[in-house]
C-alpha cells in the first residue's frame, strides 16, 4: 500500500502543477467530534413518523449494529496507536420506558440534529457538548438520529460554512455534530449495515467521501480513487465491515495520524 501511495504522490504532484491545486483550510477540529481519539459520547435518538413506531426487536438490532460500527472504529484507532472509546446512550426506546419521539421524516437540512434534540425535549440550541464535557469523561460528542423508515443515511459534520450560517441565522454557533441513520437502505431495502454507520461517524470526525459524490469527477480522478482507495470505508461499504480499511488520507483527517501529504487536497469533495 505504501509503495502504491508513493507512486500516487508523484503522479498527483505533477497534477498539482498542472491544475494549481491549493491547500484548503483545515476544519477538522471544528464541531463536537474533533478526532478519533479519547472517548466519544454517542446519543441515539429514535424517532418515528407520526402514526408509526419502532419495534423493540428493531431497536435492539439497530443498537447492536451501532456497537459493531463503533467497535470496529475502536479497533482501527488501536492499530494507529490511538485509544478511541464510545459511550452509547438512547432516547426514544419505549421498551426501556423512555418517551416515544415523533417528528416528520428526517430530510437533509442544517438543523435536523437540533430538530431531533428539540423533539426529544432539549431546549433549542442546547449546548449538549458542554454538558458532556462537564458531566462525563468524554472529549467528543455526536448524535445519531435513528429513523424507522427507509432512506439514504447522511451526516452533518461541522465546518466553517455551517458555523457562519448558524451565527447569521440562529444567533449562535450551534455546533453539535451528528448523522441521520435510517433503519433500511432506500435502494436495497436491507437493514442498515455497521459499515454505513461507521462511514457516517467518520464524516463527523472530518473524513471525506472518496467516491464521485456529484458525478462530476474526471475519468482520471475516478481511476485513481478506484486504484488506491478501493477498500476504504470512505469509498465503499460492505455487509462485512472487517473487509474494509481506513486509508492513510482518512486516518489523517480523523486525527489518527499527523502525517499529511499535499496531494490529499486533490481528493477533497466540494
Amino acid at each position: 500500500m505504501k509503495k502504491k501511495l508513493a507512486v500516487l504522490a508523484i503522479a498527483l504532484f505533477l497534477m498539482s502543477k498542472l491544475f494549481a491545486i491549493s491547500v484548503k483550510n483545515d476544519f477538522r477540529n471544528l464541531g463536537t467530534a474533533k478526532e478519533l481519539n479519547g472517548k466519544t459520547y454517542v446519543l441515539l435518538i429514535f424517532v418515528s413518523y407520526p402514526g408509526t413506531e419502532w419495534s423493540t426487536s428493531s431497536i435492539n438490532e439497530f443498537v447492536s449494529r451501532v456497537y459493531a460500527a463503533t467497535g470496529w472504529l475502536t479497533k482501527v484507532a488501536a492499530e494507529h496507536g490511538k485509544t478511541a472509546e464510545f459511550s452509547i446512550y438512547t432516547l426514544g426506546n419505549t421498551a426501556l420506558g423512555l418517551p416515544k419521539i415523533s417528528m416528520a421524516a428526517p430530510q437533509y437540512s442544517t438543523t435536523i440534529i437540533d430538530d431531533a434534540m428539540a423533539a426529544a425535549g432539549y431546549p433549542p440550541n442546547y449546548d449538549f457538548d458542554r454538558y458532556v464535557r462537564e458531566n462525563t469523561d468524554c472529549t467528543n460528542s455526536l448524535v445519531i438520529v435513528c429513523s424507522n423508515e427507509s432512506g439514504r443515511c447522511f451526516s452533518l459534520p461541522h465546518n466553517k460554512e455551517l458555523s457562519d450560517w448558524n451565527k447569521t441565522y440562529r444567533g449562535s454557533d450551534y455546533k453539535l455534530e451528528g448523522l441521520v441513520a435510517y433503519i433500511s437502505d432506500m435502494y436495497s431495502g436491507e437493514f442498515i449495515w455497521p459499515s454505513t454507520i461507521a462511514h457516517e461517524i467518520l464524516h463527523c470526525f472530518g473524513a471525506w467521501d472518496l467516491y464521485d459524490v456529484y458525478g462530476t469527477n474526471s475519468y482520471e480522478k475516478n481511476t485513481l480513487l478506484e486504484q488506491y482507495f478501493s477498500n476504504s470505508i470512505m469509498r465503499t461499504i460492505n455487509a462485512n465491515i472487517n473487509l474494509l480499511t481506513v486509508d492513510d488520507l482518512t486516518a489523517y483527517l480523523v486525527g489518527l495520524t499527523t502525517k499529511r501529504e499535499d496531494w490529499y487536497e486533490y481528493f477533497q469533495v466540494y
Side-chain angles (χ1 to χ4, degrees), residues 103 105-113 143-145 147 151-157 177-182 186 192 196-197 199-201 203-204 209 211:
M103 62 182 291
Q107 300 294 328
Y108 184 83
S109 77
T110 56
T111 64
I112 189 62
I113 302 300
V143 172
I144 302 181
V145 180
S147 171
R152 181 174 179 175
C153 302
F154 60 89
S155 61
L156 280 170
E177 296 182 294
L179 58 114
V180 173
Y182 295 93
M186 66 184 297
I192 188 172
T196 300
I197 299 170
H199 173 104
E200 300 300 342
I201 288 176
H203 274 311
C204 293
D209 281 319
Y211 59 90

Side-chain angles (χ1 to χ4, degrees), residues 121-157:
Y122 290 89
N125 260 4
Y126 179 65
D127 194 345
F128 185 70
D129 184 54
R130 180 178 179 180
Y131 165 81
V132 169
R133 286 184 280 105
E134 292 181 349
N135 295 278
T136 77
D137 59 348
C138 295
T139 54
N140 301 294
S141 60
L142 62 91
V143 172
I144 302 181
V145 180
C146 315
S147 171
N148 67 339
E149 298 182 69
S150 180
R152 181 174 179 175
C153 302
F154 60 89
S155 61
L156 280 170

Side-chain angles (χ1 to χ4, degrees), residues 39-43 67 85-89 137-138:
K39 185 177 287 188
T40 300
Y41 191 111
V42 180
L43 178 63
Y67 273 101
E85 301 177 19
F86 295 85
S87 294
I88 300 171
Y89 301 87
D137 59 348
C138 295

Side-chain angles (χ1 to χ4, degrees), residues 64-82:
S64 73
R65 298 193 180 207
V66 172
Y67 273 101
T70 55
W72 183 81
L73 291 171
T74 296
K75 183 187 71 171
V76 167
E79 292 170 355
H80 288 80
K82 301 288 186 178

Side-chain angles (χ1 to χ4, degrees), residues 217-232:
N217 283 358
S218 65
Y219 172 81
E220 290 78 10
K221 188 170 185 178
N222 282 331
T223 299
L224 289 170
L225 284 168
E226 177 59 30
Q227 183 175 359
Y228 295 105
F229 302 102
S230 59
N231 291 326
S232 171

